[in-house]
Amino acid sequence: KAGVTQTPRYLIKTRGQQVTLSCSPISGHRSVSWYQQTPGQGLQFLFEYFSETQRNKGNFPGRFSGRQFSNSRSEMNVSTLELGDSALYLCASSFLNSPADTQYFGPGTRLTVL
Amino acid sequence: AQSVTQLDSQVPVFEEAPVELRCNYSSSVSVYLFWYVQYPNQGLQLLLKYLSGSTLVKGINGFEAEFNKSQTSFHLRKPSVHISDTAEYFCAVSAQGGSEKLVFGKGTKLTVNP
């Protein structure tokens, strides 16, 4: 089975722009979660989608949003980019949205905001 | 809410030596516990997880972890490390009804020296 794929792998944007990141989960997985990884804050949960519905949301401003499509693929959007949004954005998929489920991570999208 | 503390940010060891990476968690409800490994420029890979039952959990690459409910700990061990084990290791917790899918510790950078 193919793993979780994320596109693009690298992005460079300037402050004030917006960006859309894409995640394709493992075939058959219906839950997709997003995480932000920075040297200072570590790994932080952004949100989770299951069957096209947002199930959980982390403590991030409304500039961070996401959605999930009927084929379980997910996108996250960050509007009005700030320097502090520079990070590795990781997507993870699991079969169900149970907390006991193993999450499988993609390689991440490295976003640099100048 | 749940929280995770990884007591050591960096652990240097020599090849073939044993290693223990420490993890403590805090939660008012029962939790599930995970250890993930991240190699440079890659996503996270699950090493092992504890859901219930035997407190000693064996994972991939010769790693094991022991769940200690009274001490709220989930330390990761390997009896003999290899150069290839050099990576960052993350302890994580999830809980039924939790608002975040996974809560991660800050990570422990394991460096194996020849």
Side-chain angles (χ1 to χ4, degrees):
Chain A
K1 256 186 190 178
V4 177
T5 58
Q6 293 186 244
T7 56
R9 290 293 311 276
Y10 301 91
L11 263 179
I12 299 176
K13 293 285 187 178
T14 56
R15 279 182 300 173
Q17 287 187 309
Q18 76 164 17
V19 67
T20 299
L21 312 182
S22 181
C23 172
S24 292
I26 291 172
S27 178
H29 285 192
R30 294 163 60 194
S31 171
V32 174
S33 299
W34 290 88
Y35 296 84
Q36 181 195 64
Q37 185 177 23
T38 59
Q41 299 298 318
L43 280 153
Q44 294 183 286
F45 171 75
L46 280 156
F47 28 66
E48 179 197 10
Y49 286 87
F50 181 78
S51 293
E52 302 178 63
T53 302
Q54 187 178 93
R55 300 295 172 137
N56 286 303
K57 191 177 192 305
N59 189 25
F60 278 82
R63 299 184 299 105
F64 291 82
S65 63
R67 60 178 175 168
Q68 186 181 35
F69 302 95
S70 58
N71 61 359
S72 294
R73 191 176 69 85
S74 177
E75 289 181 347
M76 68 163 279
N77 185 277
V78 188
S79 62
T80 320
L81 284 166
E82 300 176 1
L83 295 179
D85 297 333
S86 293
L88 180 67
Y89 290 88
L90 292 163
C91 165
S93 76
S94 58
F95 183 61
L96 298 172
N97 68 338
S98 162
D101 253 6
T102 295
Q103 289 193 65
Y104 296 86
F105 284 80
T109 293
R110 171 85 54 192
L111 172 64
T112 302
V113 182
L114 302 176
Chain B
Q2 293 75 46
S3 68
V4 177
T5 302
Q6 290 185 243
L7 296 153
D8 305 296
S9 59
Q10 296 189 61
V11 172
V13 294
F14 287 109
E15 194 173 17
E16 297 183 6
V19 70
E20 177 180 81
L21 306 184
R22 298 179 293 168
C23 171
N24 286 90
Y25 68 92
S26 172
S27 176
S28 57
V29 299
S30 295
V31 295
Y32 307 108
L33 294 154
F34 304 79
W35 274 100
Y36 282 86
V37 61
Q38 185 177 35
Y39 299 101
N41 299 313
Q42 294 187 29
L44 278 71
Q45 179 185 8
L46 180 72
L47 280 175
L48 48 80
K49 65 181 180 182
Y50 173 78
L51 302 181
S52 65
S54 173
T55 57
L56 184 63
V57 181
K58 293 192 183 295
I60 62 171
N61 301 341
F63 285 94
E64 63 181 33
E66 184 146 24
F67 171 61
N68 188 317
K69 189 174 182 180
S70 62
Q71 296 187 6
T72 60
S73 68
F74 191 53
H75 300 333
L76 181 71
R77 300 186 185 101
K78 186 169 183 179
S80 176
V81 294
H82 304 289
I83 299 284
S84 59
D85 292 323
T86 295
E88 190 147 24
Y89 292 79
F90 293 93
C91 181
V93 63
S94 66
Q96 204 75 34
S99 60
E100 299 186 38
K101 185 73 170 179
L102 271 178
V103 176
F104 284 91
K106 294 290 191 186
T108 298
K109 178 76 172 74
L110 174 65
T111 302
V112 182
N113 297 301

